[in-house]
């Protein structure tokens, strides 16, 4: 699917337009729900992009809001595009819905700013590292399900090398490079991959000596889009689910925190040196353990 036609982003954009039209007409959510003969909760899901809308149903809203041409046809086109399937939907049987939404947002994103405390970001994981993480997180999954989830991560990474490559800025807490994941060779290979320099990828390490900072509460992603009308989104993940923050004040707060972390982190060059030393240390520790046995 081309970068500029992510159905996830189209659905989000359409939801924003529906919310704007309702507010401009001076109608409450309950008033619209009553006239369209749906619940206010269902309307809320439409206006937040958590639920899609078919073009034939959209026409009822456009009639209510008295939307004329050419805006009417533009919104109907947006609804049709939002019904298209993204490549990630072929993995629906193994993908949590929140994760699928993130992939859909990345498909059209221009930038991703990512702070990670304990794990390498999915967009930069090697295949062996990804497999080790998934096996640890989902011990009840079958080998086929694990392989499909690994394949999703590898497919996601194509956004870094396609015709309009994603600009990725990553801050890694030092715990990420000290954490043993998989074999020593797996960990070392992953750290060397992170040390590779790419024009559109910047990796910095936030050392322990940087001390307390505002992001000690946890990792986060800020996904940014090329169209000014598509506001940035903050993605927060936990063990059971994930949360998306779209309010401008929340996004600004996380953006400010990321800027703070970037200033406190090592330079890209110093970070690469630290990553390579850590890779050698993983291998050295493995040899020591082998000798002890």
């Amino acid at each position: 699917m081309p970068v500029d036609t992510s159905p996830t982003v189209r659905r989000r954009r359409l939801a924003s337009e529906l919310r704007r039209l309702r507010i401009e007409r001076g109608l409450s959510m309950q008033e619209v729900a009553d006239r369209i003969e749906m619940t206010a909760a269902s309307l809320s899901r439409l206006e937040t992009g958590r639920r899609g809308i078919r073009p034939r149903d959209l026409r009822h809203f456009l009639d209510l809001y008295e939307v004329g041409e050419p805006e009417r046809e533009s919104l109907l086109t947006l609804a049709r595009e939002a019904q298209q399937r993204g490549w990630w939907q072929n993995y629906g049987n193994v993908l949590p819905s929140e994760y699928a939404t993130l992939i859909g947002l990345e498909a059209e994103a221009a930038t991703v700013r990512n702070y990670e405390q304990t794990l390498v970001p999915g967009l930069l994981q090697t295949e062996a590292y990804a497999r080790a993480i998934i096996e640890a997180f989902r011990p009840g999954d079958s080998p086929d399900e694990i392989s499909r989830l690994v394949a999703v991560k590898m497919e996601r990474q194509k956004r870094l090398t396609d015709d309009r490559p994603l600009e990725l800025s990553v801050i890694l807490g030092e715990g990420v490079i000290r954490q043993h994941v998989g074999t020593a060779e797996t960990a070392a290979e992953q750290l060397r991959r992170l040390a590779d320099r790419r024009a559109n990828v910047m990796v910095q390490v936030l050392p322990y000596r940087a001390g307390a900072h505002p992001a000690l509460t946890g990792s986060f992603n800020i996904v940014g889009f090329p169209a000014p009308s598509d506001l940035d989104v903050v993605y927060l993940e936990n063990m059971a689910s994930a949360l998306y923050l779209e309010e401008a004040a929340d996004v600004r707060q996380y953006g400010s925190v990321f800027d703070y972390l970037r200033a406190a982190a090592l330079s890209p060059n110093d970070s690469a040196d630290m990553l390579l030393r850590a890779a050698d240390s993983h291998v050295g520790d493995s040899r020591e353990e082998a000798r002890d046995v």
Side-chain angles (χ1 to χ4, degrees):
M1 172 167 290
V3 171
D4 61 351
T5 56
S6 167
T8 304
V9 175
R10 292 294 184 266
R11 186 175 67 188
R12 181 170 173 259
R13 189 176 299 165
L14 181 59
S16 177
E17 288 298 303
L18 285 175
R19 185 167 60 251
R20 175 186 65 80
L21 288 168
R22 177 180 59 78
I23 293 172
E24 286 181 354
R25 270 52 174 188
L27 296 170
S28 71
M29 195 171 288
Q30 189 61 59
E31 286 174 322
V32 172
D34 290 342
R35 296 192 198 184
I36 298 294
E37 297 183 347
M38 68 190 311
T39 66
S42 294
L43 178 58
S44 176
R45 286 193 290 272
L46 284 177
E47 289 193 356
T48 54
R50 287 176 291 173
R51 172 183 164 186
I53 183 170
R54 294 173 296 184
R56 71 182 185 187
D57 296 327
L58 175 62
R59 288 187 175 90
H60 298 308
F61 285 91
L62 300 181
D63 290 341
L64 175 61
Y65 298 148
E66 299 179 339
V67 177
E69 299 293 351
E71 185 179 13
R72 185 183 185 91
E73 185 54 38
S74 175
L75 291 172
L76 287 168
T77 299
L78 202 55
R80 286 189 287 269
E81 290 176 347
Q83 289 188 303
Q84 295 172 359
R85 287 179 60 83
W87 64 262
W88 53 93
Q89 290 171 299
N90 294 325
Y91 296 87
N93 64 319
V94 294
L95 278 186
S97 60
E98 296 91 348
Y99 184 26
T101 298
L102 174 64
I103 296 172
L105 294 174
E106 287 176 350
E108 195 164 336
T111 64
V112 169
R113 290 171 285 170
N114 191 186
Y115 166 67
E116 289 290 343
Q117 278 193 328
T118 55
L119 295 175
V120 173
L123 286 168
L124 295 178
Q125 291 177 6
T126 64
E127 186 170 342
Y129 185 99
R131 184 175 295 277
I133 289 296
I134 293 167
E135 288 174 346
F137 281 12
R138 303 177 61 136
D141 283 11
S142 69
D144 180 66
E145 288 170 329
I146 290 172
S147 293
R148 285 174 64 78
L149 285 168
V150 172
V152 169
K153 288 199 175 186
M154 298 303 101
E155 188 71 22
R156 276 179 68 198
Q157 295 179 10
K158 292 181 180 178
R159 275 297 284 114
L160 297 173
T161 56
D162 62 21
D163 293 339
R164 292 196 301 171
L166 188 67
E167 294 287 336
L168 177 62
S169 182
V170 173
I171 308 294
L172 301 175
E174 186 172 342
V176 175
I177 67 176
R178 304 303 177 194
Q179 181 71 46
H180 286 258
V181 173
T183 66
E185 289 73 19
T186 295
E189 177 194 26
Q190 177 63 80
L191 294 173
R192 293 188 184 107
R193 169 79 65 84
L194 291 172
D196 289 344
R197 304 301 297 273
R198 284 181 270 181
N200 61 313
V201 178
M202 182 168 71
V203 176
Q204 294 176 258
V205 176
L206 184 69
Y208 288 139
R209 67 173 182 271
H213 56 79
L216 285 174
T217 51
S219 307
F220 62 89
N221 273 6
I222 307 173
V223 185
F225 303 94
S229 58
D230 295 326
L231 301 179
D232 292 1
V233 181
V234 175
Y235 173 75
L236 306 172
E237 189 176 80
N238 58 45
M239 188 178 297
S241 62
L243 176 67
Y244 290 91
L245 304 179
E246 301 185 59
E247 293 295 330
D250 292 330
V251 176
R252 280 196 302 272
Q253 180 180 9
Y254 276 89
S256 295
V257 170
F258 190 85
D259 290 342
Y260 175 93
L261 298 176
R262 184 157 45 193
L266 300 176
S267 71
N269 284 338
D270 289 344
S271 295
D273 290 342
M274 188 176 191
L275 288 163
L276 292 174
R277 289 196 301 272
D280 291 341
S281 177
H282 277 289
V283 173
D285 289 346
S286 176
R287 289 171 180 165
E288 286 291 334
E289 290 172 3
R291 280 199 292 270
D292 290 341
V293 172

